[in-house]
Amino acid sequence: MENTLHNITIKDFKTKSGKEYDIPLSYQVFGQPLHTAPVVMVNHALTGNSDVAGEKGWWNTLVGNEKPVDTQRFTVIAFNVPGNGYDDFFIENYQDFSAFDIAKLFLLGLEYLKITKLKALIGGSVGGSIAWEMLAQKPDLAEQFIPVATDFKTTDWLHSQCLVQKFLLESETEPLQKARIHAMLCYRTPDSLNLRFKRETDAEKGILKSHDWLNYHGRALNERFSLKAYKLMNHLLMTINVEESKLPEITADIHLISVDSDLFFPAFEIKNSFEILKQKKSNVFYHEIKSIHGHDAFLMEYEQLDEMMRLIFKK
């Protein structure tokens, strides 16, 4: 299975805000060689990257040989959001970009690779929102669309959480760690933390085990991720704004997957999107992951997601 990082350059790219850039766009291909099999595209989440399969792949329980996204049947492609730092490229003026722009860049990347049709387009969290933006711009791109724990718009609730993240990311001391600790409380739920830690204290460190866990996640992200990248990705979350009138134009079978306990993209919001779509389209379906773990369940409840994906890919 190939996992080489490839690079192309999108020259003279003009953002929606009117700024011009030459953008390096990196990607990885897994499974069958390009143009030999149906293509499945996977969009990564906020701190993710294009490494979706293989030994270190962040979604390798779902993408791989004989997995729901079977690399023996499909070519799997994943782009890095430009500026996420996985390819050592960062964007200083991140405010110049929106989710719309990233979607447009991904479409230009597919065009460069002469990929005109996708078997499926999959995205989790902000990656799924970028996928919504892609289909709003090119409605006939995919046969199947699977947005997971995400929506086509930034709600007031999500925008407010991102605003707190923005304030923390502008802190003078330990900005990334502070933002990550707050984010973890958005990605998980009270039940998840309470049942795991039970108010227990780490005797050696003299702090609650829950605090130690949060501190660990803050430090760990600081070691593998960049403040510039975090600021960009948080900003992109604030800019998701697909026009509702464009949704019925999407030709793909749409499989909305929510998490019943999600505090970030709540299930009721995704159900509302399903109801909106159902009025205009017959090929839209709703699936729900049951979990106490909240938003992060789409990275944790592999058995449920495995079953859902296998059913979808049988169609």
Side-chain angles (χ1 to χ4, degrees):
M1 179 184 294
E2 183 187 354
N3 61 3
T4 304
L5 192 65
H6 301 276
N7 292 277
I8 58 180
T9 300
I10 308 297
K11 290 190 172 292
D12 303 320
F13 178 76
K14 193 169 186 178
T15 68
K16 201 173 183 180
S17 61
K19 304 297 172 60
E20 264 192 29
Y21 288 86
D22 289 345
I23 297 291
L25 186 60
S26 61
Y27 66 94
Q28 286 172 265
V29 176
F30 304 90
Q32 305 309 301
L34 278 173
H35 308 298
T36 66
V39 179
V40 175
M41 181 171 175
V42 179
N43 287 355
H44 67 78
L46 192 142
T47 61
N49 51 51
S50 59
D51 202 7
V52 299
E55 186 180 347
K56 296 181 180 179
W58 58 267
W59 233 5
N60 61 11
T61 57
L62 293 172
V63 183
N65 288 351
E66 299 183 354
K67 304 287 176 65
V69 183
D70 190 347
T71 48
Q72 293 177 321
R73 294 174 55 201
F74 303 121
T75 301
V76 178
I77 187 168
F79 288 100
N80 285 295
V81 170
N84 79 337
Y86 189 64
D87 51 6
D88 297 322
F89 172 68
F90 298 95
I91 294 173
E92 295 289 341
N93 299 320
Y94 64 87
Q95 300 96 332
D96 291 347
F97 289 81
S98 66
F100 175 94
D101 295 313
I102 304 304
K104 189 174 179 181
L105 283 163
F106 282 4
L107 290 171
L108 289 170
L110 291 176
E111 185 180 313
Y112 178 91
L113 295 171
K114 296 181 170 54
I115 298 170
T116 57
K117 192 76 174 181
L118 298 174
K119 171 66 178 176
L121 176 58
I122 307 171
S125 193
V126 66
S129 296
I130 291 167
W132 275 113
E133 295 275 8
M134 291 174 68
L135 291 178
Q137 294 177 45
K138 190 173 181 182
D140 62 349
L141 175 65
E143 293 178 22
Q144 297 184 87
F145 175 39
I146 310 168
V148 184
T150 191
D151 203 1
F152 66 86
K153 61 189 180 300
T154 302
T155 61
D156 291 296
W157 167 258
L158 176 55
H159 212 289
S160 299
Q161 297 303 325
C162 292
L163 181 63
V164 176
Q165 289 277 287
K166 185 172 185 287
F167 289 153
L168 294 171
L169 290 167
E170 291 170 352
S171 301
E172 291 186 8
T173 58
E174 299 185 328
L176 197 149
Q177 293 96 315
K178 289 175 181 175
R180 184 61 166 180
I181 286 171
H182 167 256
M184 292 304 297
L185 297 177
C186 296
Y187 300 155
R188 301 296 176 90
T189 66
D191 276 349
S192 181
L193 265 67
N194 292 343
L195 287 170
R196 177 171 178 172
F197 297 109
K198 301 180 174 64
R199 297 185 296 156
E200 293 176 359
T201 299
D202 184 308
E204 186 178 332
K205 296 180 179 178
I207 61 173
L208 287 168
K209 289 183 177 178
S210 54
H211 289 191
D212 188 44
W213 178 80
L214 287 168
N215 289 335
Y216 164 77
H217 278 281
R219 290 192 304 270
L221 188 68
N222 192 51
E223 290 169 3
R224 71 172 180 87
F225 208 62
S226 158
L227 178 60
K228 290 178 183 177
Y230 202 144
K231 285 181 175 180
L232 167 72
M233 298 302 294
N234 184 63
H235 172 73
L236 294 179
L237 264 176
M238 301 172 85
T239 67
I240 304 157
N241 188 29
V242 176
E243 290 179 33
E244 195 174 305
S245 61
K246 291 184 177 292
L247 300 181
E249 298 174 12
I250 297 171
T251 60
D253 293 345
I254 300 177
H255 292 268
L256 303 162
I257 300 179
S258 73
V259 179
D260 64 347
S261 58
D262 197 337
L263 302 177
F264 213 53
F265 285 98
F268 77 87
E269 293 283 2
I270 296 173
K271 282 180 184 173
N272 288 344
S273 297
F274 170 66
E275 293 300 330
I276 290 168
L277 285 159
K278 197 170 65 170
Q279 293 175 20
K280 303 286 186 179
K281 288 173 59 68
S282 60
N283 56 338
V284 56
F285 310 91
Y286 178 80
H287 314 264
E288 191 169 278
I289 296 168
K290 309 294 183 186
S291 176
I292 66 166
H293 296 303
H295 183 69
D296 267 3
F298 87 93
L299 298 169
M300 299 168 71
E301 302 286 0
Y302 289 120
E303 288 185 7
Q304 292 185 59
L305 201 48
D306 183 293
E307 184 178 350
M308 291 173 187
M309 290 285 194
R310 287 188 189 278
L311 286 171
I312 292 168
F313 276 96
K314 277 184 179 178
K315 293 181 181 296

